[in-house]
Amino acid sequence: MPMELTQSRIQKIWLPNDNRPALPRRSCGPQLANSPTVIVMVGLPARGKTYISKKLTRYLNWIGVPTKVFNVGEYRREAVKHYSSYDFFRPDNEEAMKVRRQCAMAALRDVKLYLTEEAGQIAVFDATNTTRERRGMILNFAKENGFKVFFIESVCNDPNVVATNVMEVKLSSPDYRDCNSTDAMEDFMKRINCYQASYQPLDPDDYDRELSLIKVIDVGRRFLVNRVQDHIQSRIVYYLMNIHVQPRTIYLCRHGESEFNLKGRIGGDSGLSNRGKKFAVALNKFVEEQNLKDLKVWTSQLKRTIQTAEALQLPYEQWKALNEIDAGVCEEMTYEEIREQHPEEFALRDQDKYYYRYPSGESYQDLVQRLEPVIMELERQENVLVICHQAVMRCLLAYFLDKSADEMPYLKCPLHTVLKLTPVAYGCRVESISLNIEAVNTHRDRPENMNNSQKPS
Protein backbone atom coordinates (compact mmCIF):
# COMPACT_ATOMS: atom_id res chain seq x y z
CA MET A 1 0.00 0.00 0.00
CA PRO A 2 1.25 3.55 -0.75
CA MET A 3 2.50 5.24 2.41
CA GLU A 4 0.49 8.15 3.84
CA LEU A 5 2.43 11.43 3.78
CA THR A 6 2.14 14.66 5.75
CA GLN A 7 3.48 17.99 4.50
CA SER A 8 5.85 19.84 6.81
CA ARG A 9 4.30 23.24 7.45
CA ILE A 10 7.63 25.07 7.69
CA GLN A 11 9.61 23.52 4.83
CA LYS A 12 6.63 22.46 2.66
CA ILE A 13 8.20 19.03 2.05
CA TRP A 14 6.41 15.67 2.25
CA LEU A 15 7.26 13.37 5.18
CA PRO A 16 6.16 9.81 6.06
CA ASN A 17 3.11 9.87 8.33
CA ASP A 18 4.54 7.54 10.96
CA ASN A 19 6.43 7.57 14.24
CA ARG A 20 9.96 7.35 12.89
CA PRO A 21 12.32 9.88 14.51
CA ALA A 22 13.00 13.01 12.48
CA LEU A 23 16.41 13.49 10.91
CA PRO A 24 18.69 16.06 12.61
CA ARG A 25 17.76 19.47 11.26
CA ARG A 26 21.17 20.30 9.79
CA SER A 27 21.05 17.16 7.65
CA CYS A 28 18.76 19.11 5.34
CA GLY A 29 21.79 19.97 3.19
CA PRO A 30 23.25 17.55 0.64
CA GLN A 31 22.26 14.10 1.90
CA LEU A 32 25.19 11.79 2.66
CA ALA A 33 23.64 8.36 2.28
CA ASN A 34 27.01 6.77 2.99
CA SER A 35 29.39 6.81 5.95
CA PRO A 36 30.65 9.98 7.61
CA THR A 37 33.97 11.20 6.21
CA VAL A 38 37.27 12.09 7.87
CA ILE A 39 39.27 14.57 5.81
CA VAL A 40 42.96 14.10 6.63
CA MET A 41 45.31 17.01 5.94
CA VAL A 42 48.88 16.15 4.90
CA GLY A 43 51.94 18.35 4.46
CA LEU A 44 54.88 20.11 6.03
CA PRO A 45 54.27 23.08 8.37
CA ALA A 46 53.44 26.45 6.74
CA ARG A 47 51.90 24.86 3.63
CA GLY A 48 48.41 26.27 4.17
CA LYS A 49 46.80 23.17 5.71
CA THR A 50 44.93 25.09 8.39
CA TYR A 51 43.90 27.73 5.84
CA ILE A 52 42.41 24.99 3.63
CA SER A 53 40.83 23.25 6.65
CA LYS A 54 39.06 26.36 7.90
CA LYS A 55 37.97 27.58 4.47
CA LEU A 56 36.68 24.17 3.40
CA THR A 57 34.83 23.74 6.70
CA ARG A 58 33.21 27.16 6.28
CA TYR A 59 32.00 26.18 2.80
CA LEU A 60 30.67 22.75 3.84
CA ASN A 61 28.78 24.17 6.82
CA TRP A 62 27.34 26.90 4.57
CA ILE A 63 25.92 24.35 2.10
CA GLY A 64 24.40 22.42 5.02
CA VAL A 65 26.94 19.64 5.69
CA PRO A 66 27.85 19.69 9.42
CA THR A 67 31.65 19.88 9.49
CA LYS A 68 34.22 20.59 12.21
CA VAL A 69 38.01 21.05 12.28
CA PHE A 70 40.12 19.11 14.77
CA ASN A 71 43.50 20.86 14.88
CA VAL A 72 46.08 18.65 16.59
CA GLY A 73 48.30 21.68 17.26
CA GLU A 74 45.61 23.04 19.59
CA TYR A 75 45.56 19.73 21.48
CA ARG A 76 49.35 19.92 21.77
CA ARG A 77 49.21 23.49 23.12
CA GLU A 78 46.65 22.35 25.69
CA ALA A 79 48.88 19.45 26.77
CA VAL A 80 52.14 21.44 26.76
CA LYS A 81 51.32 24.88 28.11
CA HIS A 82 54.73 26.47 27.43
CA TYR A 83 56.40 25.93 24.06
CA SER A 84 60.19 26.21 24.40
CA SER A 85 61.73 25.52 20.99
CA TYR A 86 61.84 23.37 17.86
CA ASP A 87 63.51 20.65 19.96
CA PHE A 88 60.00 19.47 20.83
CA PHE A 89 59.52 18.41 17.18
CA ARG A 90 62.81 16.57 16.75
CA PRO A 91 62.18 12.95 15.70
CA ASP A 92 64.68 11.72 18.31
CA ASN A 93 62.84 13.48 21.17
CA GLU A 94 61.07 10.35 22.44
CA GLU A 95 59.22 12.02 25.29
CA ALA A 96 57.82 14.70 22.97
CA MET A 97 56.93 12.09 20.33
CA LYS A 98 54.88 10.29 22.97
CA VAL A 99 53.02 13.51 23.85
CA ARG A 100 52.37 14.27 20.18
CA ARG A 101 50.95 10.80 19.60
CA GLN A 102 48.69 11.15 22.66
CA CYS A 103 47.43 14.48 21.29
CA ALA A 104 46.63 12.89 17.93
CA MET A 105 44.74 10.07 19.66
CA ALA A 106 42.79 12.57 21.80
CA ALA A 107 41.79 14.46 18.63
CA LEU A 108 40.69 11.21 16.96
CA ARG A 109 38.56 10.33 19.99
CA ASP A 110 36.81 13.68 19.58
CA VAL A 111 36.43 13.03 15.84
CA LYS A 112 34.64 9.78 16.67
CA LEU A 113 32.37 11.51 19.20
CA TYR A 114 31.49 14.24 16.69
CA LEU A 115 30.68 11.85 13.84
CA THR A 116 28.81 9.25 15.88
CA GLU A 117 27.00 11.20 18.63
CA GLU A 118 26.88 14.88 17.62
CA ALA A 119 25.30 14.61 14.13
CA GLY A 120 28.53 15.58 12.40
CA GLN A 121 28.99 14.43 8.81
CA ILE A 122 32.57 15.51 8.08
CA ALA A 123 35.54 15.89 10.44
CA VAL A 124 38.72 17.62 9.25
CA PHE A 125 41.80 16.16 10.96
CA ASP A 126 44.26 19.06 10.68
CA ALA A 127 47.84 17.98 11.36
CA THR A 128 51.04 17.34 9.39
CA ASN A 129 50.39 13.56 9.04
CA THR A 130 53.65 13.37 7.08
CA THR A 131 54.49 9.69 7.68
CA ARG A 132 52.88 6.53 6.36
CA GLU A 133 52.83 5.20 9.90
CA ARG A 134 50.68 8.10 11.12
CA ARG A 135 48.38 7.92 8.11
CA GLY A 136 48.08 4.15 8.60
CA MET A 137 46.97 4.71 12.18
CA ILE A 138 44.25 7.10 10.97
CA LEU A 139 43.13 4.65 8.27
CA ASN A 140 42.81 1.88 10.88
CA PHE A 141 40.84 4.21 13.15
CA ALA A 142 38.47 5.04 10.27
CA LYS A 143 38.04 1.39 9.30
CA GLU A 144 37.21 0.37 12.88
CA ASN A 145 34.49 3.05 13.04
CA GLY A 146 33.09 2.74 9.51
CA PHE A 147 34.27 6.20 8.37
CA LYS A 148 35.40 7.12 4.87
CA VAL A 149 38.77 8.87 4.52
CA PHE A 150 39.77 11.59 2.05
CA PHE A 151 43.33 12.97 2.08
CA ILE A 152 44.23 16.56 1.14
CA GLU A 153 47.98 17.08 0.74
CA SER A 154 49.34 20.60 0.31
CA VAL A 155 52.72 20.61 -1.43
CA CYS A 156 54.72 23.82 -1.84
CA ASN A 157 58.44 24.12 -2.51
CA ASP A 158 58.51 27.85 -3.25
CA PRO A 159 60.58 29.37 -0.40
CA ASN A 160 58.97 32.79 -0.89
CA VAL A 161 55.44 31.40 -0.41
CA VAL A 162 56.54 29.43 2.67
CA ALA A 163 58.30 32.46 4.20
CA THR A 164 55.24 34.66 3.57
CA ASN A 165 52.97 32.09 5.23
CA VAL A 166 55.29 31.88 8.26
CA MET A 167 55.39 35.68 8.60
CA GLU A 168 51.63 36.21 8.14
CA VAL A 169 50.32 33.32 10.23
CA LYS A 170 52.84 31.33 12.23
CA LEU A 171 54.63 34.17 14.00
CA SER A 172 51.33 35.29 15.55
CA SER A 173 50.77 31.78 16.93
CA PRO A 174 50.59 31.34 20.74
CA ASP A 175 53.87 29.39 20.47
CA TYR A 176 55.71 32.66 19.78
CA ARG A 177 53.76 35.04 21.99
CA ASP A 178 56.85 36.29 23.86
CA CYS A 179 59.37 35.96 21.04
CA ASN A 180 60.73 38.53 18.58
CA SER A 181 60.02 37.87 14.92
CA THR A 182 63.60 37.06 13.92
CA ASP A 183 64.03 34.38 16.59
CA ALA A 184 60.54 33.04 15.91
CA MET A 185 61.23 32.76 12.17
CA GLU A 186 64.51 30.93 12.81
CA ASP A 187 62.87 28.52 15.25
CA PHE A 188 59.95 27.79 12.93
CA MET A 189 62.20 27.06 9.94
CA LYS A 190 64.09 24.57 12.14
CA ARG A 191 60.75 23.05 13.09
CA ILE A 192 60.00 22.52 9.40
CA ASN A 193 63.37 20.77 9.01
CA CYS A 194 62.42 18.36 11.80
CA TYR A 195 59.49 17.16 9.70
CA GLN A 196 61.35 17.30 6.38
CA ALA A 197 63.69 14.41 7.24
CA SER A 198 60.85 11.89 7.75
CA TYR A 199 58.29 13.33 5.28
CA GLN A 200 56.73 10.69 3.04
CA PRO A 201 54.48 12.42 0.48
CA LEU A 202 51.35 10.68 -0.73
CA ASP A 203 52.14 8.37 -3.65
CA PRO A 204 48.99 7.89 -5.76
CA ASP A 205 50.90 6.00 -8.47
CA ASP A 206 52.07 3.19 -6.22
CA TYR A 207 51.93 2.97 -2.41
CA ASP A 208 48.77 5.08 -1.98
CA ARG A 209 47.01 4.14 -5.23
CA GLU A 210 43.96 2.80 -3.35
CA LEU A 211 43.45 5.99 -1.31
CA SER A 212 41.03 8.81 -2.09
CA LEU A 213 43.05 12.01 -2.24
CA ILE A 214 43.86 15.34 -3.82
CA LYS A 215 47.33 16.87 -3.94
CA VAL A 216 47.22 20.68 -4.09
CA ILE A 217 50.54 21.74 -5.63
CA ASP A 218 52.06 25.22 -5.30
CA VAL A 219 48.94 26.92 -3.93
CA GLY A 220 46.65 25.65 -6.68
CA ARG A 221 48.97 25.81 -9.70
CA ARG A 222 48.44 22.07 -10.23
CA PHE A 223 46.20 19.36 -8.77
CA LEU A 224 46.41 15.59 -8.68
CA VAL A 225 43.20 13.74 -7.86
CA ASN A 226 42.90 10.03 -7.11
CA ARG A 227 39.88 7.75 -6.51
CA VAL A 228 37.08 10.19 -5.63
CA GLN A 229 34.48 7.98 -3.89
CA ASP A 230 31.27 9.97 -3.75
CA HIS A 231 29.33 13.15 -4.38
CA ILE A 232 30.64 15.09 -1.37
CA GLN A 233 34.27 14.28 -2.21
CA SER A 234 33.69 15.55 -5.74
CA ARG A 235 32.22 18.77 -4.26
CA ILE A 236 35.33 19.15 -2.08
CA VAL A 237 37.65 18.66 -5.07
CA TYR A 238 35.68 21.18 -7.14
CA TYR A 239 35.80 23.74 -4.33
CA LEU A 240 39.55 23.33 -3.75
CA MET A 241 40.18 23.79 -7.47
CA ASN A 242 38.33 27.13 -7.44
CA ILE A 243 39.88 28.94 -4.46
CA HIS A 244 42.98 31.14 -4.64
CA VAL A 245 45.06 33.25 -2.24
CA GLN A 246 45.66 36.36 -4.35
CA PRO A 247 44.88 39.67 -2.58
CA ARG A 248 41.49 41.03 -3.60
CA THR A 249 38.44 42.87 -2.34
CA ILE A 250 34.77 41.90 -2.60
CA TYR A 251 32.12 44.61 -2.26
CA LEU A 252 28.54 43.70 -1.41
CA CYS A 253 25.64 46.11 -1.51
CA ARG A 254 21.93 46.13 -2.12
CA HIS A 255 20.26 48.02 -4.95
CA GLY A 256 19.22 51.60 -4.28
CA GLU A 257 15.97 52.09 -2.38
CA SER A 258 13.04 50.92 -4.54
CA GLU A 259 9.46 52.09 -4.88
CA PHE A 260 8.33 48.86 -3.17
CA ASN A 261 10.78 49.51 -0.30
CA LEU A 262 8.99 52.82 0.30
CA LYS A 263 5.63 51.02 0.42
CA GLY A 264 6.91 48.20 2.64
CA ARG A 265 6.22 45.58 -0.03
CA ILE A 266 8.44 42.52 -0.43
CA GLY A 267 9.71 41.03 -3.68
CA GLY A 268 8.33 42.26 -6.98
CA ASP A 269 10.28 44.07 -9.68
CA SER A 270 9.84 47.77 -9.00
CA GLY A 271 12.26 50.49 -10.03
CA LEU A 272 14.33 52.85 -7.89
CA SER A 273 12.89 55.65 -5.79
CA ASN A 274 14.39 59.15 -6.07
CA ARG A 275 16.66 58.39 -3.10
CA GLY A 276 17.58 55.07 -4.70
CA LYS A 277 18.73 56.93 -7.82
CA LYS A 278 20.84 59.25 -5.65
CA PHE A 279 22.46 56.18 -4.09
CA ALA A 280 23.34 54.86 -7.56
CA VAL A 281 25.16 58.14 -8.31
CA ALA A 282 26.92 58.03 -4.92
CA LEU A 283 27.93 54.40 -5.54
CA ASN A 284 29.55 55.43 -8.83
CA LYS A 285 31.60 58.07 -7.01
CA PHE A 286 32.56 55.53 -4.31
CA VAL A 287 33.73 53.00 -6.91
CA GLU A 288 35.81 55.64 -8.69
CA GLU A 289 37.47 56.58 -5.39
CA GLN A 290 38.43 52.96 -4.71
CA ASN A 291 40.59 53.10 -7.86
CA LEU A 292 40.31 49.37 -8.48
CA LYS A 293 41.89 47.63 -11.43
CA ASP A 294 39.61 45.37 -13.49
CA LEU A 295 36.59 45.59 -11.17
CA LYS A 296 33.85 43.13 -12.12
CA VAL A 297 30.25 44.22 -11.42
CA TRP A 298 27.47 41.66 -10.97
CA THR A 299 23.73 42.30 -10.61
CA SER A 300 20.56 40.25 -10.43
CA GLN A 301 18.10 40.26 -13.33
CA LEU A 302 15.70 42.53 -11.46
CA LYS A 303 15.12 46.14 -12.49
CA ARG A 304 16.30 47.79 -9.26
CA THR A 305 19.81 46.25 -9.32
CA ILE A 306 20.25 46.92 -13.04
CA GLN A 307 19.21 50.58 -12.61
CA THR A 308 21.77 50.87 -9.80
CA ALA A 309 24.54 49.37 -11.97
CA GLU A 310 23.67 51.58 -14.94
CA ALA A 311 24.95 54.62 -13.02
CA LEU A 312 28.43 53.08 -12.68
CA GLN A 313 29.48 53.51 -16.32
CA LEU A 314 31.11 50.07 -16.11
CA PRO A 315 30.27 46.79 -17.81
CA TYR A 316 28.15 44.52 -15.62
CA GLU A 317 26.98 40.94 -15.70
CA GLN A 318 23.41 39.89 -14.80
CA TRP A 319 22.95 36.71 -12.73
CA LYS A 320 19.52 35.14 -12.33
CA ALA A 321 20.98 33.35 -9.30
CA LEU A 322 21.28 36.76 -7.59
CA ASN A 323 17.52 37.48 -7.79
CA GLU A 324 15.82 38.11 -4.45
CA ILE A 325 14.26 35.25 -2.48
CA ASP A 326 10.97 34.19 -4.08
CA ALA A 327 8.15 34.95 -1.63
CA GLY A 328 5.67 32.84 -3.60
CA VAL A 329 2.05 33.70 -2.76
CA CYS A 330 3.34 36.57 -0.59
CA GLU A 331 5.15 38.41 -3.40
CA GLU A 332 4.43 42.17 -3.50
CA MET A 333 2.59 42.09 -0.15
CA THR A 334 3.40 44.07 3.00
CA TYR A 335 4.14 42.18 6.21
CA GLU A 336 0.87 43.51 7.62
CA GLU A 337 -1.03 42.03 4.65
CA ILE A 338 0.77 38.70 5.10
CA ARG A 339 -0.14 38.69 8.80
CA GLU A 340 -3.80 39.35 7.96
CA GLN A 341 -4.19 37.08 4.93
CA HIS A 342 -1.77 34.26 5.87
CA PRO A 343 -1.51 34.38 9.68
CA GLU A 344 -0.15 30.84 10.05
CA GLU A 345 2.52 31.40 7.40
CA PHE A 346 3.54 34.66 9.08
CA ALA A 347 3.98 32.86 12.42
CA LEU A 348 5.77 29.86 10.90
CA ARG A 349 8.36 32.08 9.24
CA ASP A 350 9.12 33.79 12.55
CA GLN A 351 9.41 30.36 14.14
CA ASP A 352 12.19 29.13 11.81
CA LYS A 353 13.25 31.71 9.26
CA TYR A 354 16.12 29.74 7.65
CA TYR A 355 14.11 26.61 6.82
CA TYR A 356 10.72 28.27 6.29
CA ARG A 357 9.63 28.07 2.65
CA TYR A 358 7.01 30.49 1.31
CA PRO A 359 4.07 28.63 -0.32
CA SER A 360 5.08 28.29 -4.00
CA GLY A 361 8.27 30.17 -3.12
CA GLU A 362 11.69 29.70 -1.54
CA SER A 363 13.44 29.41 1.82
CA TYR A 364 16.86 30.73 2.84
CA GLN A 365 18.03 27.13 2.55
CA ASP A 366 16.88 27.09 -1.09
CA LEU A 367 18.64 30.40 -1.63
CA VAL A 368 21.96 29.02 -0.38
CA GLN A 369 21.75 26.17 -2.89
CA ARG A 370 20.91 28.66 -5.66
CA LEU A 371 23.86 30.88 -4.72
CA GLU A 372 26.54 28.17 -4.64
CA PRO A 373 27.65 28.86 -8.25
CA VAL A 374 27.97 32.56 -7.33
CA ILE A 375 30.23 31.68 -4.39
CA MET A 376 32.36 29.43 -6.61
CA GLU A 377 32.80 32.20 -9.16
CA LEU A 378 33.51 34.79 -6.44
CA GLU A 379 36.28 32.50 -5.16
CA ARG A 380 37.82 32.41 -8.64
CA GLN A 381 37.67 36.17 -9.21
CA GLU A 382 39.70 39.09 -7.89
CA ASN A 383 37.92 42.45 -7.31
CA VAL A 384 34.12 42.17 -7.58
CA LEU A 385 31.16 44.40 -6.71
CA VAL A 386 27.93 42.45 -6.21
CA ILE A 387 24.74 44.55 -6.35
CA CYS A 388 21.98 42.34 -5.00
CA HIS A 389 19.11 42.07 -2.51
CA GLN A 390 18.64 41.75 1.25
CA ALA A 391 18.18 37.96 1.59
CA VAL A 392 20.79 37.25 -1.09
CA MET A 393 23.31 39.56 0.57
CA ARG A 394 22.70 37.85 3.92
CA CYS A 395 23.48 34.45 2.39
CA LEU A 396 26.69 35.69 0.74
CA LEU A 397 27.77 37.50 3.90
CA ALA A 398 27.12 34.39 6.01
CA TYR A 399 29.52 32.44 3.81
CA PHE A 400 32.35 34.95 4.10
CA LEU A 401 31.86 35.64 7.82
CA ASP A 402 31.19 32.00 8.79
CA LYS A 403 27.74 32.69 10.21
CA SER A 404 25.37 29.85 11.12
CA ALA A 405 22.05 29.07 9.45
CA ASP A 406 20.34 30.40 12.57
CA GLU A 407 22.15 33.77 12.35
CA MET A 408 21.99 34.18 8.55
CA PRO A 409 18.37 35.45 8.12
CA TYR A 410 18.93 38.19 10.71
CA LEU A 411 22.22 39.67 9.46
CA LYS A 412 21.92 43.43 9.02
CA CYS A 413 22.32 44.53 5.40
CA PRO A 414 20.94 48.07 5.26
CA LEU A 415 20.14 49.93 2.06
CA HIS A 416 22.68 52.47 0.76
CA THR A 417 25.56 50.80 2.59
CA VAL A 418 28.53 49.00 1.02
CA LEU A 419 30.21 46.12 2.83
CA LYS A 420 33.90 45.84 1.91
CA LEU A 421 35.22 42.30 2.44
CA THR A 422 38.96 41.67 2.53
CA PRO A 423 40.13 38.05 2.91
CA VAL A 424 42.76 37.67 5.66
CA ALA A 425 44.72 34.66 6.94
CA TYR A 426 41.93 32.51 8.39
CA GLY A 427 38.85 34.59 7.70
CA CYS A 428 37.53 37.84 6.30
CA ARG A 429 37.73 41.45 7.49
CA VAL A 430 34.51 43.42 6.94
CA GLU A 431 34.14 47.20 6.75
CA SER A 432 30.69 48.82 6.59
CA ILE A 433 30.60 52.04 4.54
CA SER A 434 27.43 54.15 4.54
CA LEU A 435 27.10 56.38 1.48
CA ASN A 436 25.00 58.85 3.50
CA ILE A 437 21.84 58.70 1.39
CA GLU A 438 18.75 58.30 3.56
CA ALA A 439 16.65 55.16 3.02
CA VAL A 440 13.91 53.16 4.72
CA ASN A 441 14.91 50.45 7.18
CA THR A 442 13.78 47.05 5.85
CA HIS A 443 15.37 44.97 8.65
CA ARG A 444 13.10 42.85 10.86
CA ASP A 445 14.70 41.73 14.13
CA ARG A 446 14.37 38.19 15.38
CA PRO A 447 11.15 37.99 17.46
CA GLU A 448 12.11 37.67 21.12
CA ASN A 449 8.95 35.83 22.15
CA MET A 450 6.10 34.60 20.00
CA ASN A 451 2.87 35.35 21.75
CA ASN A 452 -0.05 32.91 21.55
CA SER A 453 -1.79 34.81 18.78
CA GLN A 454 1.25 34.37 16.54
CA LYS A 455 1.87 30.68 17.18
CA PRO A 456 0.50 28.29 14.57
CA SER A 457 -2.28 26.07 15.76
Side-chain angles (χ1 to χ4, degrees), residues 86-87 89-91 189-198:
Y86 74 94
D87 282 337
F89 294 95
R90 285 171 47 179
M189 297 311 285
K190 288 178 178 177
R191 187 196 294 195
I192 293 175
N193 290 337
C194 291
Y195 284 96
Q196 189 92 53
S198 59

Side-chain angles (χ1 to χ4, degrees), residues 186-401:
E186 183 182 349
D187 182 85
F188 197 86
M189 297 311 285
K190 288 178 178 177
R191 187 196 294 195
I192 293 175
N193 290 337
C194 291
Y195 284 96
Q196 189 92 53
S198 59
Y199 180 25
Q200 297 170 296
L202 289 168
D203 179 13
D205 293 325
D206 188 10
Y207 188 87
D208 298 313
R209 64 187 307 160
E210 299 303 318
L211 300 184
S212 299
L213 63 91
I214 179 172
K215 289 172 84 93
V216 181
I217 302 165
D218 291 337
V219 204
R221 184 175 61 86
R222 289 177 59 214
F223 300 91
L224 197 157
V225 181
N226 192 66
R227 284 193 178 272
V228 172
Q229 296 178 74
D230 56 28
H231 170 68
I232 201 66
Q233 289 183 10
S234 69
R235 296 273 288 267
I236 290 166
V237 167
Y238 181 55
Y239 180 72
L240 293 176
M241 293 178 76
N242 278 280
I243 62 177
H244 69 78
V245 294
Q246 300 305 314
R248 42 71 172 271
T249 305
I250 295 167
Y251 299 86
L252 302 178
C253 74
R254 294 169 64 187
H255 52 81
E257 179 188 73
S258 72
E259 295 291 349
F260 270 19
N261 289 147
L262 284 175
K263 297 172 182 175
R265 299 192 177 278
I266 64 173
D269 195 17
S270 65
L272 297 182
S273 69
N274 288 332
R275 293 189 303 198
K277 291 172 184 174
K278 288 180 183 177
F279 167 73
V281 173
L283 182 63
N284 179 51
K285 185 179 180 208
F286 170 80
V287 168
E288 288 176 349
E289 288 170 351
Q290 295 297 295
N291 195 26
L292 292 163
K293 184 183 177 185
D294 299 326
L295 176 69
K296 300 277 181 67
V297 179
W298 297 350
T299 74
S300 73
Q301 292 187 346
L302 297 175
K303 184 177 181 182
R304 52 198 184 273
T305 64
I306 296 167
Q307 280 187 309
T308 305
E310 276 291 325
L312 299 183
Q313 301 167 16
L314 287 170
Y316 59 89
E317 183 178 349
Q318 296 180 28
W319 286 67
K320 187 175 182 181
L322 287 170
N323 284 5
E324 181 59 305
I325 191 169
D326 184 350
V329 300
C330 299
E331 278 282 311
E332 303 189 7
M333 297 173 72
T334 66
Y335 283 115
E336 289 71 25
E337 288 170 347
I338 297 170
R339 192 202 299 261
E340 289 171 9
Q341 297 176 36
H342 305 283
E344 183 177 67
E345 295 299 328
F346 186 87
L348 286 169
R349 190 161 195 261
D350 276 349
Q351 198 178 85
D352 195 338
K353 195 172 178 182
Y354 179 81
Y355 288 101
Y356 171 81
R357 180 178 284 132
Y358 283 105
S360 305
E362 290 180 302
S363 65
Y364 271 86
Q365 184 193 17
D366 296 329
L367 200 49
V368 164
Q369 303 304 316
R370 166 150 68 86
L371 287 168
E372 188 179 1
V374 177
I375 288 295
M376 287 294 182
E377 195 58 30
L378 276 174
E379 286 291 2
R380 292 179 62 85
Q381 297 292 335
E382 294 185 8
N383 299 319
V384 183
L385 165 63
V386 183
I387 304 172
C388 53
H389 306 267
Q390 182 166 252
V392 170
M393 189 166 163
R394 283 169 172 162
C395 292
L396 297 177
L397 195 58
Y399 167 78
F400 286 107
L401 300 187

Side-chain angles (χ1 to χ4, degrees), residues 389-418:
H389 306 267
Q390 182 166 252
V392 170
M393 189 166 163
R394 283 169 172 162
C395 292
L396 297 177
L397 195 58
Y399 167 78
F400 286 107
L401 300 187
D402 198 15
K403 298 296 184 182
S404 68
D406 187 54
E407 296 171 288
M408 182 190 296
Y410 297 101
L411 294 176
K412 290 187 177 178
C413 298
L415 287 164
H416 300 176
T417 299
V418 179

